[in-house]
Amino acid sequence: MAIPKKIINFLEKSKAKYEIVEHRKVFTAYDKAATLRMPEKISIKTLVIKTSPPLKEFALVNISADKNLDKEKLRKKINILRKKEGGKAVKKIDFVTEKWVKSNLKGMKPGAIPPFGNLWKLNSFIEKSIFKSPKIFFNSGDNSFSIKISPKDFEKIVPDLIIDSFSQPRKKKKKVKKIKKVIKKKKPLKKKKIQKKRTILKKRKKK
Protein backbone atom coordinates (compact mmCIF):
# COMPACT_ATOMS: atom_id res chain seq x y z
CA MET A 1 0.00 0.00 0.00
CA ALA A 2 1.39 3.40 -1.06
CA ILE A 3 -0.40 5.52 1.58
CA PRO A 4 2.22 7.40 3.64
CA LYS A 5 2.97 5.74 7.00
CA LYS A 6 2.36 9.07 8.72
CA ILE A 7 -1.31 8.91 7.65
CA ILE A 8 -1.79 5.23 8.54
CA ASN A 9 -0.24 5.74 12.01
CA PHE A 10 -2.37 8.83 12.58
CA LEU A 11 -5.58 6.93 11.67
CA GLU A 12 -4.67 3.92 13.83
CA LYS A 13 -3.95 6.10 16.87
CA SER A 14 -7.31 7.86 16.47
CA LYS A 15 -9.16 4.50 16.79
CA ALA A 16 -11.79 5.79 14.36
CA LYS A 17 -13.60 3.46 11.97
CA TYR A 18 -12.40 3.89 8.41
CA GLU A 19 -11.81 1.94 5.20
CA ILE A 20 -9.06 2.21 2.59
CA VAL A 21 -10.43 2.15 -0.97
CA GLU A 22 -8.15 1.46 -3.92
CA HIS A 23 -8.92 2.93 -7.36
CA ARG A 24 -7.18 4.06 -10.53
CA LYS A 25 -4.87 7.05 -10.20
CA VAL A 26 -6.85 10.31 -10.08
CA PHE A 27 -5.86 13.91 -9.37
CA THR A 28 -9.24 15.53 -8.62
CA ALA A 29 -12.25 14.72 -6.43
CA TYR A 30 -14.42 15.07 -9.54
CA ASP A 31 -12.48 12.30 -11.34
CA LYS A 32 -12.57 10.16 -8.20
CA ALA A 33 -16.37 10.37 -8.10
CA ALA A 34 -16.53 9.34 -11.76
CA THR A 35 -14.04 6.48 -11.24
CA LEU A 36 -15.83 5.04 -8.20
CA ARG A 37 -19.26 5.77 -9.73
CA MET A 38 -20.50 7.66 -6.72
CA PRO A 39 -22.22 11.05 -6.16
CA GLU A 40 -19.90 14.05 -6.33
CA LYS A 41 -21.23 15.30 -2.99
CA ILE A 42 -19.46 12.47 -1.08
CA SER A 43 -16.11 12.87 -2.87
CA ILE A 44 -14.24 15.46 -0.81
CA LYS A 45 -11.39 17.65 -2.02
CA THR A 46 -8.91 19.19 0.41
CA LEU A 47 -7.60 22.61 -0.59
CA VAL A 48 -4.60 24.29 1.01
CA ILE A 49 -5.03 28.04 1.39
CA LYS A 50 -2.98 30.95 2.72
CA THR A 51 -4.18 34.26 4.14
CA SER A 52 -2.52 37.67 3.85
CA PRO A 53 -1.92 40.39 5.01
CA PRO A 54 -1.06 41.16 7.85
CA LEU A 55 0.31 37.67 8.57
CA LYS A 56 0.60 34.64 6.32
CA GLU A 57 -1.40 31.80 7.83
CA PHE A 58 -2.17 28.42 6.26
CA ALA A 59 -5.20 26.15 6.54
CA LEU A 60 -6.95 23.16 4.97
CA VAL A 61 -10.41 23.60 3.46
CA ASN A 62 -12.65 20.60 2.69
CA ILE A 63 -15.49 20.86 0.20
CA SER A 64 -17.31 18.34 -2.00
CA ALA A 65 -16.47 17.72 -5.67
CA ASP A 66 -19.71 19.34 -6.84
CA LYS A 67 -18.72 22.70 -5.32
CA ASN A 68 -16.09 25.41 -5.63
CA LEU A 69 -14.55 27.46 -2.86
CA ASP A 70 -16.04 30.91 -2.37
CA LYS A 71 -12.94 32.82 -1.22
CA GLU A 72 -14.91 35.88 -0.13
CA LYS A 73 -17.25 33.82 2.07
CA LEU A 74 -14.29 32.04 3.65
CA ARG A 75 -12.45 35.33 4.22
CA LYS A 76 -15.47 36.69 6.11
CA LYS A 77 -15.70 33.52 8.24
CA ILE A 78 -11.99 33.72 9.10
CA ASN A 79 -12.31 37.40 10.03
CA ILE A 80 -15.19 36.61 12.41
CA LEU A 81 -12.95 34.08 14.16
CA ARG A 82 -9.99 36.48 14.20
CA LYS A 83 -12.15 39.25 15.69
CA LYS A 84 -13.15 36.94 18.56
CA GLU A 85 -9.47 36.19 19.17
CA GLY A 86 -8.52 39.87 19.00
CA GLY A 87 -6.59 39.46 15.74
CA LYS A 88 -6.44 41.70 12.66
CA ALA A 89 -8.70 41.11 9.67
CA VAL A 90 -7.52 39.12 6.66
CA LYS A 91 -7.62 40.96 3.33
CA LYS A 92 -6.83 38.18 0.87
CA ILE A 93 -7.07 34.39 0.44
CA ASP A 94 -5.06 32.42 -2.12
CA PHE A 95 -4.16 28.80 -2.87
CA VAL A 96 -0.64 27.69 -2.00
CA THR A 97 1.84 26.58 -4.64
CA GLU A 98 2.84 22.98 -5.34
CA LYS A 99 6.32 23.92 -4.12
CA TRP A 100 4.89 24.88 -0.71
CA VAL A 101 3.02 21.55 -0.48
CA LYS A 102 6.20 19.56 -1.23
CA SER A 103 8.20 21.52 1.38
CA ASN A 104 5.61 21.59 4.18
CA LEU A 105 3.45 18.49 3.65
CA LYS A 106 6.26 16.08 2.87
CA GLY A 107 5.34 12.71 1.41
CA MET A 108 1.88 13.86 0.29
CA LYS A 109 1.20 13.68 -3.45
CA PRO A 110 -0.25 16.73 -5.27
CA GLY A 111 -4.00 16.29 -5.73
CA ALA A 112 -4.15 13.85 -2.79
CA ILE A 113 -3.71 16.06 0.30
CA PRO A 114 -5.36 14.43 3.36
CA PRO A 115 -7.83 16.52 5.39
CA PHE A 116 -6.13 16.24 8.79
CA GLY A 117 -4.98 19.78 9.57
CA ASN A 118 -4.09 18.92 13.17
CA LEU A 119 -1.41 16.56 11.82
CA TRP A 120 0.51 19.64 10.57
CA LYS A 121 -0.79 22.14 13.17
CA LEU A 122 -3.07 23.75 10.58
CA ASN A 123 -6.68 24.87 10.97
CA SER A 124 -9.19 22.60 9.23
CA PHE A 125 -12.37 23.99 7.66
CA ILE A 126 -15.17 21.80 6.32
CA GLU A 127 -18.37 22.60 4.42
CA LYS A 128 -21.34 21.85 6.70
CA SER A 129 -23.41 20.23 3.90
CA ILE A 130 -20.89 17.32 3.92
CA PHE A 131 -22.34 16.17 7.26
CA LYS A 132 -25.62 15.26 5.53
CA SER A 133 -23.96 12.18 3.96
CA PRO A 134 -23.50 8.98 6.02
CA LYS A 135 -20.16 8.15 4.35
CA ILE A 136 -17.60 10.36 2.62
CA PHE A 137 -14.34 9.81 0.71
CA PHE A 138 -11.20 11.79 1.56
CA ASN A 139 -7.70 11.92 0.08
CA SER A 140 -5.10 9.63 1.64
CA GLY A 141 -1.83 11.22 0.53
CA ASP A 142 -1.66 8.93 -2.52
CA ASN A 143 -3.57 9.34 -5.79
CA SER A 144 -4.55 5.65 -6.01
CA PHE A 145 -6.15 5.29 -2.56
CA SER A 146 -8.93 7.05 -0.66
CA ILE A 147 -10.22 7.00 2.92
CA LYS A 148 -13.86 6.10 3.38
CA ILE A 149 -15.19 7.38 6.70
CA SER A 150 -18.33 8.77 8.36
CA PRO A 151 -18.43 12.54 9.05
CA LYS A 152 -18.86 11.80 12.78
CA ASP A 153 -15.69 9.68 12.89
CA PHE A 154 -13.84 12.35 10.93
CA GLU A 155 -14.90 14.91 13.53
CA LYS A 156 -13.39 12.67 16.22
CA ILE A 157 -10.05 12.58 14.34
CA VAL A 158 -10.02 16.38 13.87
CA PRO A 159 -11.62 17.70 17.09
CA ASP A 160 -10.91 21.39 16.35
CA LEU A 161 -12.73 21.19 12.99
CA ILE A 162 -14.34 24.48 11.86
CA ILE A 163 -17.73 23.66 10.30
CA ASP A 164 -19.44 26.33 8.19
CA SER A 165 -20.65 27.26 4.71
CA PHE A 166 -18.12 28.82 2.31
CA SER A 167 -18.68 27.21 -1.07
CA GLN A 168 -20.77 27.68 -4.19
CA PRO A 169 -22.12 25.17 -6.74
CA ARG A 170 -19.60 24.18 -9.39
CA LYS A 171 -20.62 25.41 -12.81
CA LYS A 172 -21.18 22.55 -15.18
CA LYS A 173 -19.74 22.86 -18.65
CA LYS A 174 -22.35 23.37 -21.30
CA LYS A 175 -22.47 20.69 -23.92
CA VAL A 176 -21.91 22.12 -27.36
CA LYS A 177 -24.31 20.64 -29.85
CA LYS A 178 -22.75 19.74 -33.15
CA ILE A 179 -24.73 21.22 -36.02
CA LYS A 180 -24.73 19.02 -39.04
CA LYS A 181 -24.74 20.79 -42.38
CA VAL A 182 -27.57 19.57 -44.53
CA ILE A 183 -26.55 19.55 -48.20
CA LYS A 184 -29.47 19.44 -50.52
CA LYS A 185 -28.85 16.98 -53.28
CA LYS A 186 -30.16 17.78 -56.70
CA LYS A 187 -32.82 15.37 -57.76
CA PRO A 188 -31.96 13.36 -60.86
CA LEU A 189 -33.91 14.35 -63.97
CA LYS A 190 -36.62 12.00 -65.05
CA LYS A 191 -36.25 10.11 -68.35
CA LYS A 192 -39.07 12.02 -70.08
CA LYS A 193 -37.53 15.40 -69.23
CA ILE A 194 -34.13 14.23 -70.51
CA GLN A 195 -35.68 13.06 -73.81
CA LYS A 196 -37.48 16.41 -74.26
CA LYS A 197 -34.25 18.31 -73.69
CA ARG A 198 -32.47 16.16 -76.26
CA THR A 199 -35.18 16.73 -78.92
CA ILE A 200 -35.07 20.50 -78.34
CA LEU A 201 -31.29 20.49 -78.77
CA LYS A 202 -31.58 18.51 -82.01
CA LYS A 203 -34.11 20.97 -83.48
CA ARG A 204 -31.84 23.87 -82.63
CA LYS A 205 -28.92 22.20 -84.44
CA LYS A 206 -31.01 21.66 -87.59
CA LYS A 207 -31.90 25.36 -87.70
Side-chain angles (χ1 to χ4, degrees):
M1 196 173 287
I3 296 173
K5 284 183 180 180
K6 189 173 185 175
I7 302 301
I8 295 294
N9 293 339
F10 178 76
L11 289 167
E12 290 301 313
K13 282 179 184 177
S14 71
K15 294 179 181 179
K17 290 180 181 178
Y18 70 94
E19 183 186 340
I20 300 297
V21 180
E22 189 175 358
H23 48 74
R24 74 172 178 85
K25 190 179 278 190
V26 292
F27 296 91
T28 66
Y30 176 79
D31 287 339
K32 187 187 294 180
T35 298
L36 295 174
R37 295 181 182 180
M38 62 185 183
E40 290 175 13
K41 66 180 181 181
I42 66 170
S43 180
I44 314 303
K45 54 186 170 184
T46 300
L47 309 169
V48 190
I49 60 108
K50 63 177 179 180
T51 63
S52 62
L55 294 170
K56 276 189 180 180
E57 290 182 344
F58 302 89
L60 301 185
V61 182
N62 300 287
I63 57 176
S64 52
D66 61 339
K67 292 183 178 180
N68 284 332
L69 178 63
D70 189 323
K71 289 182 183 179
E72 186 56 27
K73 273 186 187 179
L74 181 60
R75 189 184 69 83
K76 285 177 181 178
K77 301 294 179 187
I78 290 171
N79 283 340
I80 290 166
L81 294 171
R82 288 183 68 82
K83 194 176 181 180
K84 286 178 182 177
E85 294 168 358
K88 290 183 179 180
V90 166
K91 292 181 181 179
K92 194 178 178 183
I93 286 175
D94 277 315
F95 297 113
V96 300
T97 61
E98 196 174 307
K99 188 181 177 180
W100 187 94
V101 172
K102 285 179 180 178
S103 299
N104 296 275
L105 308 178
K106 289 177 181 178
M108 305 302 129
K109 300 284 176 68
I113 305 302
F116 316 119
N118 49 335
L119 191 56
W120 294 283
K121 295 178 181 179
L122 299 173
N123 283 330
S124 294
F125 293 84
I126 190 167
E127 179 68 30
K128 64 180 180 181
S129 61
I130 289 170
F131 283 82
K132 292 177 183 177
S133 303
K135 293 288 180 183
I136 47 180
F137 290 74
F138 282 111
N139 295 328
S140 68
D142 187 273
N143 303 94
S144 299
F145 298 91
S146 291
I147 300 162
K148 184 182 178 182
I149 195 169
S150 71
K152 285 183 180 180
D153 277 314
F154 176 63
E155 203 171 357
K156 287 175 187 175
I157 297 171
V158 190
D160 56 349
L161 199 60
I162 302 161
I163 306 163
D164 217 314
S165 180
F166 35 75
S167 66
Q168 57 187 357
R170 184 173 58 82
K171 290 179 181 179
K172 291 182 179 180
K173 290 179 181 179
K174 290 181 180 180
K175 290 182 179 179
V176 181
K177 290 181 179 179
K178 289 181 180 180
I179 301 164
K180 290 181 179 179
K181 287 183 179 181
V182 181
I183 300 164
K184 288 182 180 181
K185 290 181 179 180
K186 290 180 179 180
K187 291 180 181 180
L189 293 166
K190 288 180 182 180
K191 283 183 179 180
K192 286 182 180 179
K193 284 184 177 180
I194 292 165
Q195 284 176 351
K196 281 182 180 179
K197 279 190 175 183
R198 281 176 182 174
T199 50
I200 290 161
L201 287 165
K202 283 178 182 179
K203 284 178 181 179
R204 282 179 182 173
K205 282 179 182 180
K206 284 177 182 179
K207 287 179 182 180

